[in-house]
Amino acid sequence: MKNLKNLLLVVTIVSIFSCSSDDDNRSIDPGQGGTPITGSELKGELTEDATLLASVAYNLTGSLTVKTGTTLTIEAGTIIKAKSGRTDIFLAVERGAKLIAKGTAANPIKFTSDASSPKAGDWGGIVIAGKAISNKGTDVQSEVAGLLYGGNDNSDNSGELSYVIAEYTGAKINGEQEFNGISFFGVGNGTVVNNIVVSDGKDDGIEFFGGSVNVTNVYCANIGDDMFDWTGGYTGTITNAFGVRNDGFDEASEDPRGIEGDSNGSDATATPISRPTLRNVTILNLNPDVALKAGAEIRRGTEATIDNVLFAAYGSASFGNRIDTNDDKGNGILTISNAFAQGNVGDDKEGGDITGTVSVITDGISVPSNNTVATKAGVGADLSAFAWANQEFVVTK
C-alpha cells in the first residue's frame, strides 16, 4: 500500500487483483507510474510515486504538492478541473521531485477551471522548483506556493511537460503575489518542456525565475500581463513561441507585454546575468481596446538574443513600443536579428543597447474571416505547431 501522506482525497489503491483489463494495458513508463490514484479529489502532499489516470475526472480542491523524492505521472488525455475562486488552488512540484506529464497531440493533458463560466484568475497554476542556478542565491523561496529553489546544478531534471494546456490561471494573492500559468523556479535543462499552451491567464503566461530549462513550442493566448517572462539569471532557450491577445479579452495589467525580461530587480549586476536565447517568435495583438506596452521589454541588466521575430498588430490594435531596453533599475542589452514589424507597433525605445534592426513589412500577418492566422513563410513562429490545441483567433472590430 502506497502512503499518500496528508493527501486529503478519497483514494482507491488499485491492486493487481482489482485492475480491469483496460488498466492492465495502460502505457506507463516503467518505474515512473507509481500507484494509480482513482479517487477524484486532489489536495495535500504527495509523498510517494503516484499516477493520475485519464479515465478519472479529477478535481483539484486545494494545493497539491509533489514532495521531494516523489514523482507524479499524469496520463495523456487526463483533465484536471481546479476549484475556482480561491488562491490556494495550485499544483506545486518541489525541488528534487518530478512531474511527468506526457500528453500527445491527440490527447493533451488539460488543467482548467471548474466554473460554469470560467475566467482568468479562477485558480493558481503550475509551479515547479529545481536545483539550477539563480542570481537570487540558493534556498530562495518562490513568490507563490512557498517552495525553495536554486542550487548549482543547471542539468537538474524536474521531469517532463509535453502537450499540456493550462487555462484560467493567475489567481491573485495580494499586490505582490500572483500566480502565472506555469512558473519555473530554478528549473534545470534536464527537464523536458515542449508543446505547451497557457490561455486566459490573469498574470503572466509562462515565467522563468533563474534556471536553464529549454522550451520548444509554447503558445500563450489571452494573457493579462506578460506572455513570456524571465528573471533571476535565466539562461535557457525558447524556440517557437507564439503570443496573442484576442479581441474581446480585456483582462489586462497596467503594462501588458509580449516579452518581459530582466536579470535582477534589486541588483542589475548580480550574477549570473539572465542571458536567454529566443528563436522563432510571434507577438500578435488583435484587440483594439488593449495596447501592448511593448513587444519586448528587455531591462534590469538582462542580456538577450532574439532571432526571427515578428511584432504584429492587426487592424486598429496596437503596441506602445516594439522594443524597450530602458529602465530606471538598469537597462537591458538585446541582440536581435531577422526581426519584422507589421501594423501599429510603435518604435524601438533604446535605453540600453540594441544590436540589429527591425524591418517593417506589409505581408506578414492577416486574419481572414475564418479566424485562421495567415503568416509570411519563415517569419516568426511556425503556427502550424499549435494546430493540436484547436485555438481560435478572435477579431470582431
Side-chain angles (χ1 to χ4, degrees):
M1 182 74 72
K2 294 289 185 182
N3 174 26
L4 304 180
K5 181 181 179 181
N6 298 325
L7 194 57
L8 304 179
L9 43 72
V10 179
V11 178
T12 302
I13 304 300
V14 181
S15 72
I16 59 174
F17 301 106
S18 61
C19 289
S20 68
S21 59
D22 286 340
D23 288 333
D24 292 338
N25 292 326
R26 293 187 189 281
S27 177
I28 300 294
D29 289 350
Q32 294 180 334
T35 299
I37 298 175
T38 56
S40 63
E41 187 180 1
L42 302 175
K43 177 182 178 181
E45 296 180 343
L46 194 65
T47 59
E48 294 202 18
D49 295 356
T51 295
L52 301 185
L53 306 175
S55 59
V56 179
Y58 292 103
N59 297 293
L60 183 64
T61 60
S63 61
L64 176 63
T65 301
V66 186
K67 301 294 287 183
T68 300
T70 303
T71 297
L72 173 63
T73 300
I74 305 178
E75 280 191 336
T78 300
I79 297 175
I80 299 168
K81 292 186 176 181
K83 186 174 181 61
S84 64
R86 285 168 39 187
T87 61
D88 61 343
I89 310 295
F90 56 87
L91 171 62
V93 181
E94 286 190 342
R95 184 174 56 180
K98 288 184 179 181
L99 173 63
I100 307 294
K102 296 172 64 174
T104 65
N107 293 291
I109 293 165
K110 180 182 283 191
F111 293 82
T112 190
S113 167
D114 72 346
S116 57
S117 298
K119 62 183 184 303
D122 268 356
W123 65 290
I126 301 170
V127 184
I128 303 175
K131 302 175 183 177
I133 298 171
S134 164
N135 64 27
K136 298 293 182 71
T138 58
D139 296 330
V140 189
Q141 189 172 52
S142 60
E143 177 184 317
V144 292
L147 304 183
L148 294 180
Y149 72 95
N152 297 299
D153 184 6
N154 268 346
S155 63
D156 186 40
N157 181 356
S158 295
E160 178 173 349
L161 281 76
S162 297
Y163 292 99
V164 173
I165 298 170
E167 55 188 17
Y168 308 111
T169 60
K172 185 173 184 177
I173 299 171
N174 54 47
E176 299 297 324
Q177 293 176 292
E178 197 166 11
F179 285 90
N180 305 306
I182 305 177
S183 300
F184 295 96
F185 287 92
V187 175
N189 57 34
T191 309
V192 175
V193 182
N194 59 63
N195 297 294
I196 302 299
V197 172
V198 179
S199 68
D200 298 279
K202 191 175 181 67
D203 195 41
D204 296 336
I206 185 168
E207 183 165 4
F208 306 89
F209 299 82
S212 57
V213 63
N214 303 314
V215 178
T216 301
N217 296 341
V218 55
Y219 177 17
C220 291
N222 298 336
I223 303 300
D225 196 28
D226 306 315
M227 299 169 182
F228 309 100
D229 198 347
W230 69 79
T231 186
Y234 174 61
T235 57
T237 298
I238 301 171
T239 303
N240 207 50
F242 177 37
V244 59
R245 174 180 285 272
N246 280 308
D247 192 359
F249 182 77
D250 297 330
E251 178 71 50
S253 67
E254 294 180 355
D255 48 11
R257 307 171 180 91
I259 299 167
E260 179 187 272
D262 67 64
S263 192
N264 189 307
S266 300
D267 178 6
T269 66
T271 57
I273 298 293
S274 294
R275 289 190 179 94
T277 297
L278 289 77
R279 298 190 180 101
N280 307 334
V281 181
T282 293
I283 304 298
L284 173 62
N285 189 9
L286 303 176
N287 190 330
D289 298 322
V290 179
L292 295 181
K293 182 175 182 289
E297 186 148 337
I298 307 300
R299 62 182 193 172
R300 298 180 183 177
T302 191
E303 300 175 16
T305 299
I306 303 179
D307 178 52
N308 187 19
V309 59
L310 172 65
F311 301 116
Y314 182 81
S316 57
S318 65
F319 292 15
N321 295 102
R322 291 184 297 235
I323 300 168
D324 187 350
T325 58
N326 182 55
D327 192 84
D328 58 6
K329 293 185 179 180
N331 295 331
I333 299 174
L334 175 63
T335 300
I336 192 164
S337 56
N338 300 308
F340 304 91
Q342 182 189 29
N344 184 19
V345 295
D347 299 313
D348 298 338
K349 183 177 180 181
E350 185 172 352
D353 295 323
I354 301 176
T355 301
T357 59
V358 179
S359 301
V360 176
I361 59 175
T362 59
D363 56 348
I365 283 285
S366 63
V367 184
S369 59
N370 63 359
N371 279 341
T372 60
V373 173
T375 63
K376 185 174 181 178
V379 173
D382 175 8
L383 305 193
S384 68
F386 308 107
W388 62 273
N390 296 317
Q391 296 287 311
E392 291 187 349
F393 306 103
V394 179
V395 177
T396 60
K397 299 176 184 176

